[in-house]
């Protein structure tokens, strides 16, 4: 967790400098090599005292908008949220406790969804609840077959 220093100076330049120091030419490439890491974990790897998870996400969104891959970004963010809140995979039974955990995942996913995809993400979340995936389902990246069915690419 940062103490506010993450917003001092040119944080965008700092973010890209840290990514390049690790051998990547984009925040997306850095993050995709760590598909189940949370945004906070990514930020801590880049700079535990001066990079914040939201800055990593802003970099990811900007790159996804430029490359017209917002849907892939959204799928990737669901992977991150599932890994964080349901580390053993989708619950076998959606009892009250499991429903609460799934609701947290879907709420976090929605919160980190760029506006143009918000309705599609909400519908995908509804589909997951209406037709739950197999127990233990734990996608390891944005190209998971079920994720691509729920939220297919349709960007030009």
């Amino acid at each position: 967790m940062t103490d506010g220093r993450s917003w001092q100076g040119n944080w965008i330049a700092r973010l890209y400098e840290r990514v390049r120091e690790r051998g990547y030419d984009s925040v997306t490439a850095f993050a995709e090599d760590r598909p189940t890491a949370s945004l906070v974990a990514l930020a801590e790897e880049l700079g535990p005292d001066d990079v914040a998870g939201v800055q990593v996400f802003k970099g990811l969104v900007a790159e996804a908008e430029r490359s017209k891959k917002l849907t892939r970004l959204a799928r990737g963010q669901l992977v991150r949220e599932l890994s964080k809140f349901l580390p053993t995979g989708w619950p076998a039974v959606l009892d009250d406790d499991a429903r609460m955990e799934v609701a947290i995942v879907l709420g976090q996913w929605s919160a980190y969804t760029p506006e143009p995809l918000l309705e599609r993400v909400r519908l995908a979340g509804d589909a997951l609840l209406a037709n739950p995936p197999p127990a233990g389902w734990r996608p390891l990246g944005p190209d998971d077959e079920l994720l691509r069915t729920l939220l297919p690419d349709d960007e030009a």
Side-chain angles (χ1 to χ4, degrees):
M1 191 67 129
T2 65
D3 61 5
R5 286 187 283 162
S6 58
W7 298 104
Q8 293 176 354
N10 186 340
W11 67 266
I12 296 170
R14 183 172 50 250
L15 176 66
Y16 279 93
E17 176 184 320
R18 301 287 172 75
V19 165
R20 283 189 301 276
E21 286 172 356
R22 284 153 184 80
Y24 297 93
D25 62 355
S26 68
V27 179
T28 301
F30 172 77
E32 285 193 352
D33 263 1
R34 298 148 181 81
T36 60
S38 71
L39 295 170
V40 170
L42 293 172
E44 287 177 353
E45 186 175 341
L46 291 171
D49 297 323
D50 61 0
V51 177
V54 69
Q55 292 169 326
V56 172
F57 189 69
K58 285 179 175 278
L60 290 169
V61 170
E63 291 176 5
E65 287 174 337
R66 283 193 300 272
S67 64
K68 300 193 181 324
K69 293 186 178 183
L70 277 175
T71 304
R72 181 179 172 78
L73 170 71
R75 288 193 309 261
Q77 191 57 37
L78 178 57
V79 170
R80 294 179 195 293
E81 300 304 334
L82 286 166
S83 294
K84 179 177 180 182
F85 293 105
L86 296 174
T88 60
W90 195 266
V93 177
L94 281 179
D95 59 15
D96 288 344
D97 290 339
R99 264 192 189 281
M100 177 61 78
E101 292 196 10
V102 168
I104 290 169
V105 167
L106 297 177
Q108 287 292 111
W109 185 33
S110 183
Y112 280 104
T113 296
E115 182 62 38
L117 293 179
L118 202 48
E119 186 58 27
R120 289 181 60 209
V121 161
R122 285 186 183 138
L123 292 173
D126 290 348
L128 279 172
L129 289 172
N131 300 298
W137 174 69
R138 188 174 173 264
L140 299 177
D143 294 324
D144 177 86
E145 185 177 337
L146 177 55
L147 285 181
R148 289 181 64 91
T149 300
L150 285 169
L151 199 59
D153 292 321
D154 71 344
E155 288 126 348

